[in-house]
Amino acid sequence: MRNITHIVVHTCGSASKGKALHQTVDQVRAYHMSKGWTTLGYHRYVERDGAVREGRPDMTTGAHAAGFNATTLGICCSGHGDVEPFNSAQMAGLLHQIVLWCRKYNLTADNVLGHRETDDHGGPQVYKTCPGLMVDMALIRALVANKLEAA
């Protein structure tokens, strides 16, 4: 059994002409497999409508944050966080899944990181803005903490 220490939030980073492109989990899975991966690199994927789709099983090491996958779970939202923030449906799906994982693996909101923050927590240097400059990780952590306290 893997020892889960963090949850890493991502966005696909797909955009064209300044607009975010929203892909389905099947489209992203196909892209990852075209790179030689066995399946989707993330453990969960949040589509534009907020639906949370299965990716890798939790106990399977992800392929979402190089050098930081062994003890983490990865969740990705469609779109591009430098172009637009997560919409309300995506945020609801994202928060729901993160809270489930926090409860299951005894994690706190402090264990929730944006991909760009992983180097501050033992991962290698990150040169990306992922999950995006328009994604407020402090707000996400605060919302997760509120939901965890409410239970």
PDB file of all heavy atoms in Angstrom, residues 15-41:
ATOM      1  N   ALA A  15      -5.032  25.315 -24.533  1.00  0.00           N
ATOM      2  CA  ALA A  15      -5.641  26.562 -24.965  1.00  0.00           C
ATOM      3  C   ALA A  15      -5.319  26.800 -26.432  1.00  0.00           C
ATOM      4  O   ALA A  15      -4.352  26.264 -26.972  1.00  0.00           O
ATOM      5  CB  ALA A  15      -5.132  27.725 -24.120  1.00  0.00           C
ATOM      6  N   SER A  16      -6.151  27.617 -27.053  1.00  0.00           N
ATOM      7  CA  SER A  16      -5.935  28.019 -28.438  1.00  0.00           C
ATOM      8  C   SER A  16      -6.471  29.429 -28.615  1.00  0.00           C
ATOM      9  O   SER A  16      -7.609  29.716 -28.217  1.00  0.00           O
ATOM     10  CB  SER A  16      -6.649  27.050 -29.385  1.00  0.00           C
ATOM     11  OG  SER A  16      -6.508  27.479 -30.721  1.00  0.00           O
ATOM     12  N   LYS A  17      -5.653  30.292 -29.171  1.00  0.00           N
ATOM     13  CA  LYS A  17      -6.057  31.682 -29.443  1.00  0.00           C
ATOM     14  C   LYS A  17      -6.604  32.360 -28.192  1.00  0.00           C
ATOM     15  O   LYS A  17      -7.609  33.071 -28.241  1.00  0.00           O
ATOM     16  CB  LYS A  17      -7.063  31.729 -30.586  1.00  0.00           C
ATOM     17  CG  LYS A  17      -6.497  31.196 -31.894  1.00  0.00           C
ATOM     18  CD  LYS A  17      -7.513  31.239 -32.999  1.00  0.00           C
ATOM     19  CE  LYS A  17      -6.901  30.618 -34.255  1.00  0.00           C
ATOM     20  NZ  LYS A  17      -7.825  30.531 -35.355  1.00  0.00           N
ATOM     21  N   GLY A  18      -5.956  32.114 -27.051  1.00  0.00           N
ATOM     22  CA  GLY A  18      -6.345  32.768 -25.814  1.00  0.00           C
ATOM     23  C   GLY A  18      -7.569  32.209 -25.128  1.00  0.00           C
ATOM     24  O   GLY A  18      -8.029  32.769 -24.139  1.00  0.00           O
ATOM     25  N   LYS A  19      -8.103  31.101 -25.626  1.00  0.00           N
ATOM     26  CA  LYS A  19      -9.264  30.471 -25.001  1.00  0.00           C
ATOM     27  C   LYS A  19      -8.891  29.073 -24.536  1.00  0.00           C
ATOM     28  O   LYS A  19      -8.190  28.345 -25.237  1.00  0.00           O
ATOM     29  CB  LYS A  19     -10.435  30.392 -25.979  1.00  0.00           C
ATOM     30  CG  LYS A  19     -11.011  31.741 -26.326  1.00  0.00           C
ATOM     31  CD  LYS A  19     -12.340  31.565 -27.018  1.00  0.00           C
ATOM     32  CE  LYS A  19     -12.964  32.934 -27.147  1.00  0.00           C
ATOM     33  NZ  LYS A  19     -14.389  32.908 -27.020  1.00  0.00           N
ATOM     34  N   ALA A  20      -9.395  28.721 -23.365  1.00  0.00           N
ATOM     35  CA  ALA A  20      -9.148  27.380 -22.838  1.00  0.00           C
ATOM     36  C   ALA A  20      -9.861  26.346 -23.688  1.00  0.00           C
ATOM     37  O   ALA A  20     -10.981  26.565 -24.148  1.00  0.00           O
ATOM     38  CB  ALA A  20      -9.626  27.285 -21.395  1.00  0.00           C
ATOM     39  N   LEU A  21      -9.194  25.219 -23.909  1.00  0.00           N
ATOM     40  CA  LEU A  21      -9.808  24.079 -24.585  1.00  0.00           C
ATOM     41  C   LEU A  21     -10.149  23.048 -23.522  1.00  0.00           C
ATOM     42  O   LEU A  21      -9.310  22.699 -22.703  1.00  0.00           O
ATOM     43  CB  LEU A  21      -8.846  23.469 -25.603  1.00  0.00           C
ATOM     44  CG  LEU A  21      -8.411  24.361 -26.755  1.00  0.00           C
ATOM     45  CD1 LEU A  21      -7.389  23.637 -27.617  1.00  0.00           C
ATOM     46  CD2 LEU A  21      -9.609  24.779 -27.591  1.00  0.00           C
ATOM     47  N   HIS A  22     -11.374  22.592 -23.540  1.00  0.00           N
ATOM     48  CA  HIS A  22     -11.809  21.599 -22.558  1.00  0.00           C
ATOM     49  C   HIS A  22     -11.882  20.241 -23.231  1.00  0.00           C
ATOM     50  O   HIS A  22     -12.647  20.046 -24.170  1.00  0.00           O
ATOM     51  CB  HIS A  22     -13.152  22.001 -21.952  1.00  0.00           C
ATOM     52  CG  HIS A  22     -13.031  23.187 -21.064  1.00  0.00           C
ATOM     53  ND1 HIS A  22     -12.661  23.083 -19.748  1.00  0.00           N
ATOM     54  CD2 HIS A  22     -13.175  24.510 -21.320  1.00  0.00           C
ATOM     55  CE1 HIS A  22     -12.610  24.286 -19.208  1.00  0.00           C
ATOM     56  NE2 HIS A  22     -12.913  25.176 -20.150  1.00  0.00           N
ATOM     57  N   GLN A  23     -11.057  19.326 -22.739  1.00  0.00           N
ATOM     58  CA  GLN A  23     -10.993  17.972 -23.281  1.00  0.00           C
ATOM     59  C   GLN A  23     -11.672  17.008 -22.324  1.00  0.00           C
ATOM     60  O   GLN A  23     -11.714  17.238 -21.117  1.00  0.00           O
ATOM     61  CB  GLN A  23      -9.535  17.568 -23.471  1.00  0.00           C
ATOM     62  CG  GLN A  23      -8.800  18.486 -24.431  1.00  0.00           C
ATOM     63  CD  GLN A  23      -7.301  18.304 -24.332  1.00  0.00           C
ATOM     64  OE1 GLN A  23      -6.726  18.409 -23.260  1.00  0.00           O
ATOM     65  NE2 GLN A  23      -6.680  18.021 -25.457  1.00  0.00           N
ATOM     66  N   THR A  24     -12.147  15.906 -22.859  1.00  0.00           N
ATOM     67  CA  THR A  24     -12.727  14.868 -22.017  1.00  0.00           C
ATOM     68  C   THR A  24     -11.602  14.000 -21.446  1.00  0.00           C
ATOM     69  O   THR A  24     -10.467  14.020 -21.936  1.00  0.00           O
ATOM     70  CB  THR A  24     -13.676  13.962 -22.821  1.00  0.00           C
ATOM     71  OG1 THR A  24     -12.898  13.219 -23.775  1.00  0.00           O
ATOM     72  CG2 THR A  24     -14.767  14.766 -23.512  1.00  0.00           C
ATOM     73  N   VAL A  25     -11.948  13.230 -20.455  1.00  0.00           N
ATOM     74  CA  VAL A  25     -10.969  12.314 -19.875  1.00  0.00           C
ATOM     75  C   VAL A  25     -10.456  11.337 -20.931  1.00  0.00           C
ATOM     76  O   VAL A  25      -9.271  10.992 -20.945  1.00  0.00           O
ATOM     77  CB  VAL A  25     -11.536  11.577 -18.642  1.00  0.00           C
ATOM     78  CG1 VAL A  25     -12.641  10.612 -19.028  1.00  0.00           C
ATOM     79  CG2 VAL A  25     -10.426  10.858 -17.877  1.00  0.00           C
ATOM     80  N   ASP A  26     -11.334  10.903 -21.829  1.00  0.00           N
ATOM     81  CA  ASP A  26     -10.902   9.961 -22.863  1.00  0.00           C
ATOM     82  C   ASP A  26      -9.902  10.595 -23.824  1.00  0.00           C
ATOM     83  O   ASP A  26      -8.965   9.935 -24.269  1.00  0.00           O
ATOM     84  CB  ASP A  26     -12.109   9.420 -23.629  1.00  0.00           C
ATOM     85  CG  ASP A  26     -12.980   8.520 -22.766  1.00  0.00           C
ATOM     86  OD1 ASP A  26     -12.450   7.873 -21.837  1.00  0.00           O
ATOM     87  OD2 ASP A  26     -14.203   8.469 -23.011  1.00  0.00           O
ATOM     88  N   GLN A  27     -10.065  11.867 -24.135  1.00  0.00           N
ATOM     89  CA  GLN A  27      -9.112  12.555 -25.004  1.00  0.00           C
ATOM     90  C   GLN A  27      -7.745  12.679 -24.330  1.00  0.00           C
ATOM     91  O   GLN A  27      -6.706  12.456 -24.957  1.00  0.00           O
ATOM     92  CB  GLN A  27      -9.639  13.947 -25.386  1.00  0.00           C
ATOM     93  CG  GLN A  27     -10.811  13.897 -26.329  1.00  0.00           C
ATOM     94  CD  GLN A  27     -11.446  15.260 -26.513  1.00  0.00           C
ATOM     95  OE1 GLN A  27     -11.729  15.979 -25.553  1.00  0.00           O
ATOM     96  NE2 GLN A  27     -11.686  15.623 -27.777  1.00  0.00           N
ATOM     97  N   VAL A  28      -7.748  13.017 -23.059  1.00  0.00           N
ATOM     98  CA  VAL A  28      -6.474  13.163 -22.336  1.00  0.00           C
ATOM     99  C   VAL A  28      -5.817  11.796 -22.142  1.00  0.00           C
ATOM    100  O   VAL A  28      -4.606  11.652 -22.298  1.00  0.00           O
ATOM    101  CB  VAL A  28      -6.682  13.894 -20.995  1.00  0.00           C
ATOM    102  CG1 VAL A  28      -5.375  13.988 -20.209  1.00  0.00           C
ATOM    103  CG2 VAL A  28      -7.260  15.289 -21.240  1.00  0.00           C
ATOM    104  N   ARG A  29      -6.619  10.787 -21.836  1.00  0.00           N
ATOM    105  CA  ARG A  29      -6.080   9.425 -21.700  1.00  0.00           C
ATOM    106  C   ARG A  29      -5.419   8.983 -23.007  1.00  0.00           C
ATOM    107  O   ARG A  29      -4.308   8.441 -23.002  1.00  0.00           O
ATOM    108  CB  ARG A  29      -7.175   8.444 -21.295  1.00  0.00           C
ATOM    109  CG  ARG A  29      -6.647   7.009 -21.109  1.00  0.00           C
ATOM    110  CD  ARG A  29      -7.744   6.037 -20.700  1.00  0.00           C
ATOM    111  NE  ARG A  29      -8.099   6.248 -19.313  1.00  0.00           N
ATOM    112  CZ  ARG A  29      -9.285   6.700 -18.889  1.00  0.00           C
ATOM    113  NH1 ARG A  29     -10.247   6.975 -19.751  1.00  0.00           N
ATOM    114  NH2 ARG A  29      -9.519   6.864 -17.608  1.00  0.00           N
ATOM    115  N   ALA A  30      -6.074   9.227 -24.128  1.00  0.00           N
ATOM    116  CA  ALA A  30      -5.518   8.848 -25.432  1.00  0.00           C
ATOM    117  C   ALA A  30      -4.196   9.579 -25.687  1.00  0.00           C
ATOM    118  O   ALA A  30      -3.236   8.980 -26.187  1.00  0.00           O
ATOM    119  CB  ALA A  30      -6.517   9.141 -26.549  1.00  0.00           C
ATOM    120  N   TYR A  31      -4.139  10.847 -25.322  1.00  0.00           N
ATOM    121  CA  TYR A  31      -2.889  11.603 -25.484  1.00  0.00           C
ATOM    122  C   TYR A  31      -1.781  11.005 -24.621  1.00  0.00           C
ATOM    123  O   TYR A  31      -0.663  10.792 -25.088  1.00  0.00           O
ATOM    124  CB  TYR A  31      -3.112  13.079 -25.142  1.00  0.00           C
ATOM    125  CG  TYR A  31      -1.828  13.857 -25.062  1.00  0.00           C
ATOM    126  CD1 TYR A  31      -1.071  14.108 -26.215  1.00  0.00           C
ATOM    127  CD2 TYR A  31      -1.335  14.319 -23.848  1.00  0.00           C
ATOM    128  CE1 TYR A  31       0.130  14.798 -26.153  1.00  0.00           C
ATOM    129  CE2 TYR A  31      -0.146  15.008 -23.772  1.00  0.00           C
ATOM    130  CZ  TYR A  31       0.584  15.248 -24.923  1.00  0.00           C
ATOM    131  OH  TYR A  31       1.768  15.925 -24.846  1.00  0.00           O
ATOM    132  N   HIS A  32      -2.071  10.729 -23.363  1.00  0.00           N
ATOM    133  CA  HIS A  32      -1.068  10.135 -22.472  1.00  0.00           C
ATOM    134  C   HIS A  32      -0.602   8.782 -23.004  1.00  0.00           C
ATOM    135  O   HIS A  32       0.589   8.474 -22.974  1.00  0.00           O
ATOM    136  CB  HIS A  32      -1.609  10.014 -21.051  1.00  0.00           C
ATOM    137  CG  HIS A  32      -1.679  11.315 -20.329  1.00  0.00           C
ATOM    138  ND1 HIS A  32      -2.079  11.409 -19.020  1.00  0.00           N
ATOM    139  CD2 HIS A  32      -1.404  12.590 -20.719  1.00  0.00           C
ATOM    140  CE1 HIS A  32      -2.045  12.673 -18.636  1.00  0.00           C
ATOM    141  NE2 HIS A  32      -1.642  13.412 -19.656  1.00  0.00           N
ATOM    142  N   MET A  33      -1.529   7.983 -23.510  1.00  0.00           N
ATOM    143  CA  MET A  33      -1.154   6.671 -24.041  1.00  0.00           C
ATOM    144  C   MET A  33      -0.338   6.803 -25.325  1.00  0.00           C
ATOM    145  O   MET A  33       0.534   5.972 -25.593  1.00  0.00           O
ATOM    146  CB  MET A  33      -2.404   5.811 -24.230  1.00  0.00           C
ATOM    147  CG  MET A  33      -3.025   5.430 -22.883  1.00  0.00           C
ATOM    148  SD  MET A  33      -4.575   4.533 -23.007  1.00  0.00           S
ATOM    149  CE  MET A  33      -3.976   2.940 -23.543  1.00  0.00           C
ATOM    150  N   SER A  34      -0.553   7.871 -26.083  1.00  0.00           N
ATOM    151  CA  SER A  34       0.248   8.093 -27.295  1.00  0.00           C
ATOM    152  C   SER A  34       1.704   8.399 -26.947  1.00  0.00           C
ATOM    153  O   SER A  34       2.591   8.247 -27.780  1.00  0.00           O
ATOM    154  CB  SER A  34      -0.342   9.232 -28.136  1.00  0.00           C
ATOM    155  OG  SER A  34      -0.029  10.502 -27.579  1.00  0.00           O
ATOM    156  N   LYS A  35       1.926   8.795 -25.691  1.00  0.00           N
ATOM    157  CA  LYS A  35       3.291   9.056 -25.215  1.00  0.00           C
ATOM    158  C   LYS A  35       3.944   7.786 -24.658  1.00  0.00           C
ATOM    159  O   LYS A  35       5.056   7.830 -24.152  1.00  0.00           O
ATOM    160  CB  LYS A  35       3.259  10.132 -24.127  1.00  0.00           C
ATOM    161  CG  LYS A  35       2.820  11.489 -24.642  1.00  0.00           C
ATOM    162  CD  LYS A  35       2.572  12.507 -23.532  1.00  0.00           C
ATOM    163  CE  LYS A  35       3.747  12.698 -22.641  1.00  0.00           C
ATOM    164  NZ  LYS A  35       3.624  13.846 -21.749  1.00  0.00           N
ATOM    165  N   GLY A  36       3.205   6.675 -24.719  1.00  0.00           N
ATOM    166  CA  GLY A  36       3.738   5.412 -24.235  1.00  0.00           C
ATOM    167  C   GLY A  36       3.331   5.061 -22.808  1.00  0.00           C
ATOM    168  O   GLY A  36       3.768   4.045 -22.277  1.00  0.00           O
ATOM    169  N   TRP A  37       2.509   5.889 -22.184  1.00  0.00           N
ATOM    170  CA  TRP A  37       2.041   5.597 -20.843  1.00  0.00           C
ATOM    171  C   TRP A  37       0.959   4.523 -20.922  1.00  0.00           C
ATOM    172  O   TRP A  37       0.293   4.376 -21.937  1.00  0.00           O
ATOM    173  CB  TRP A  37       1.483   6.838 -20.169  1.00  0.00           C
ATOM    174  CG  TRP A  37       2.479   7.966 -20.017  1.00  0.00           C
ATOM    175  CD1 TRP A  37       3.797   7.954 -20.385  1.00  0.00           C
ATOM    176  CD2 TRP A  37       2.228   9.260 -19.504  1.00  0.00           C
ATOM    177  NE1 TRP A  37       4.368   9.167 -20.114  1.00  0.00           N
ATOM    178  CE2 TRP A  37       3.425   9.992 -19.567  1.00  0.00           C
ATOM    179  CE3 TRP A  37       1.097   9.885 -18.998  1.00  0.00           C
ATOM    180  CZ2 TRP A  37       3.521  11.298 -19.137  1.00  0.00           C
ATOM    181  CZ3 TRP A  37       1.204  11.193 -18.557  1.00  0.00           C
ATOM    182  CH2 TRP A  37       2.401  11.881 -18.621  1.00  0.00           C
ATOM    183  N   THR A  38       0.751   3.801 -19.833  1.00  0.00           N
ATOM    184  CA  THR A  38      -0.233   2.724 -19.827  1.00  0.00           C
ATOM    185  C   THR A  38      -1.667   3.236 -19.780  1.00  0.00           C
ATOM    186  O   THR A  38      -2.580   2.555 -20.227  1.00  0.00           O
ATOM    187  CB  THR A  38      -0.008   1.776 -18.637  1.00  0.00           C
ATOM    188  OG1 THR A  38      -0.081   2.530 -17.425  1.00  0.00           O
ATOM    189  CG2 THR A  38       1.343   1.086 -18.741  1.00  0.00           C
ATOM    190  N   THR A  39      -1.868   4.423 -19.233  1.00  0.00           N
ATOM    191  CA  THR A  39      -3.197   5.018 -19.114  1.00  0.00           C
ATOM    192  C   THR A  39      -3.049   6.491 -18.760  1.00  0.00           C
ATOM    193  O   THR A  39      -1.953   7.054 -18.844  1.00  0.00           O
ATOM    194  CB  THR A  39      -4.063   4.268 -18.070  1.00  0.00           C
ATOM    195  OG1 THR A  39      -5.420   4.748 -18.147  1.00  0.00           O
ATOM    196  CG2 THR A  39      -3.527   4.402 -16.667  1.00  0.00           C
ATOM    197  N   LEU A  40      -4.111   7.095 -18.319  1.00  0.00           N
ATOM    198  CA  LEU A  40      -4.115   8.472 -17.865  1.00  0.00           C
ATOM    199  C   LEU A  40      -3.098   8.646 -16.736  1.00  0.00           C
ATOM    200  O   LEU A  40      -2.989   7.791 -15.862  1.00  0.00           O
ATOM    201  CB  LEU A  40      -5.531   8.822 -17.363  1.00  0.00           C
ATOM    202  CG  LEU A  40      -5.812  10.248 -16.938  1.00  0.00           C
ATOM    203  CD1 LEU A  40      -5.800  11.174 -18.157  1.00  0.00           C
ATOM    204  CD2 LEU A  40      -7.163  10.318 -16.246  1.00  0.00           C
ATOM    205  N   GLY A  41      -2.379   9.744 -16.729  1.00  0.00           N
ATOM    206  CA  GLY A  41      -1.367   9.980 -15.694  1.00  0.00           C
ATOM    207  C   GLY A  41      -1.932  10.377 -14.346  1.00  0.00           C
ATOM    208  O   GLY A  41      -1.260  10.245 -13.330  1.00  0.00           O
TER     209      GLY A  41
END
